[in-house]
């Protein structure tokens, strides 16, 4: 069986799905590895390194013609999806809940779509395959650095002959993996850090990193399934925003990380909250994406300034490509080894891991969540 590694085409994407270190691991399991020429260049993994590890360097057309399993980071472009054939498998972060029509199109072609963002993250044996966590860890680290670079003052307390600079006050909204990494990194940079999450059980983790956990009286616990927060009701959302506004205004830097899979990200920083912030403040919105963001006026991959700098930073992992690629490669290798038996892809939807990640198989959309969205909207429009 042959595994083909695509060169990413998404604008700004510098990661690669497999690094040379993992080639030997897959070959040891009886899998041949094909790598599209220059796939790893932007993450500083040369073709020669893949070749030395035992991979074959091929063109995209050769890869698509020969590979049984095609692996990438994110949803491939039309030339790739158009060339996929019945019986092939496509593996990556395909986000079928955002665009179920894409999943339906793959099913119609007879492609087995395997989306790593569907992994049951609370399952202990799946942790080594959890690309969402590994990439969020990288993104949370980079969010802190982006915030520090955009902020016009120092993060730490500095006492110098030229005077004393007070430490920056940072508020992290959302304390999942990305949020906790952002907290740890901003603390190491010397900031005074506070954090908020609708899941009160994260308080201990926040305090263990030396940050202060903000507790709102207007919103009760909102833990959801799979380690995520649930979507708030409209009344809860309005109460949350009103109470958060006061806290936001007292901070110099806001880092937002809140996302709900397949849904519009919750709006945490309203226009009124931004107006209440001091000039020169910075917001790094990690929730920014096609469906919106956590901050009003946030635009993905863009910076807006009106006294307060708002940075739509929904794709930060791609800006740390070497580390992010290495982590993703370990995740995807672990998943492939779980899916392959005796040198062949062995789909078993009774397996908890496969039930989460296998989106389409044998001409049908088989993942329940994606199938439910298509049942609600047969045209498969983008989720809201």
């Amino acid at each position: 069986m042959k595994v083909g590694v695509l060169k990413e085409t998404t604008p700004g994407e510098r990661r690669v799905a497999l690094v040379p270190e993992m080639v030997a691991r897959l070959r040891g399991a009886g899998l041949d590895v094909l790598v599209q020429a220059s796939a790893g260049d932007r993450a500083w993994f040369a073709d020669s390194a893949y070749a030395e590890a035992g991979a074959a360097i091929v063109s995209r057309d050769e890869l698509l013609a020969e590979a049984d399993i095609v692996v990438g980071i994110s949803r491939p472009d039309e030339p790739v999806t158009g060339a996929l054939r019945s019986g092939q498998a496509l593996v990556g972060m395909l986000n079928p809940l955002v665009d179920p029509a894409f999943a339906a199109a793959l099913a119609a072609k007879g492609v087995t779509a395997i989306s790593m963002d569907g992994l049951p993250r609370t399952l202990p044996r799946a942790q080594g395959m959890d690309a969402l966590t590994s990439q969020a860890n990288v993104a949370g680290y980079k969010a802190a650095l982006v915030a520090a670079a955009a902020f016009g003052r120092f993060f730490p307390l500095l006492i110098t002959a030229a005077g004393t600079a007070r430490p920056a006050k940072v508020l992290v909204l959302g304390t999942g993996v990305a949020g906790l990494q952002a907290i740890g990194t901003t603390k190491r940079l010397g900031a005074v850090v506070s954090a908020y999450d609708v899941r009160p059980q994260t308080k201990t983790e926040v305090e263990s990193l030396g940050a202060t956990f903000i507790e709102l009286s207007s919103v009760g616990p909102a833990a959801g399934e799979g380690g995520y927060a649930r979507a708030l009701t409209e009344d809860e959302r309005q109460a949350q925003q009103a109470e958060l506004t006061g806290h936001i205004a007292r901070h110099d830097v806001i880092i937002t990380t809140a996302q709900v899979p397949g849904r519009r990200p919750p709006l945490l920083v309203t226009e009124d909250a931004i107006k209440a912030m001091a000039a020169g403040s910075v917001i790094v919105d990690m929730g920014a994406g096609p469906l919106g963001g956590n901050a009003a006026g946030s635009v993905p991959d863009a910076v807006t300034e009106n006294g307060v700098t708002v940075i739509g930073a929904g794709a930060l992992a791609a800006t740390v490509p070497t580390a992010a690629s290495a982590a993703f490669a370990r995740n995807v290798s672990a998943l492939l080894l779980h899916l392959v038996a005796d040198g062949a892809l062995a789909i078993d939807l009774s397996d908890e891991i496969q039930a989460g990640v296998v989106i389409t198989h044998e001409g049908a959309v088989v993942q329940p969540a994606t199938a439910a969205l298509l049942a609600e909207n047969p045209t498969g429009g983008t989720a809201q």
Side-chain angles (χ1 to χ4, degrees), residues 155-220:
F155 262 34
L157 168 68
L158 290 181
I159 301 175
T160 72
T164 299
R166 68 170 179 83
K169 295 180 180 178
V170 175
L171 173 60
V172 177
L173 300 178
T175 57
V177 173
L180 292 173
Q181 183 59 255
I183 291 168
T185 305
T186 50
K187 281 291 294 182
R188 288 191 290 272
L189 290 173
V192 175
V193 186
S194 301
Y196 167 72
D197 198 289
V198 293
R199 300 164 298 167
Q201 66 269 29
T202 65
K203 177 180 180 180
T204 301
E205 295 173 305
V206 168
E207 292 178 340
S208 72
L209 293 172
T212 300
F213 188 82
I214 293 174
E215 298 183 68
L216 302 186
S217 60
S218 59
V219 182

Side-chain angles (χ1 to χ4, degrees), residues 23 28 37 78 86-87 96 110 115 179 190 195 200 203 213 216 223 260 263 280 295 298 301 304 318 331 354 371:
V23 171
E78 177 55 36
S86 179
S115 190
K203 177 180 180 180
F213 188 82
L216 302 186
V260 181
R263 302 281 184 179
S298 175
D301 305 317
T304 57
N331 300 143
Q354 295 203 33

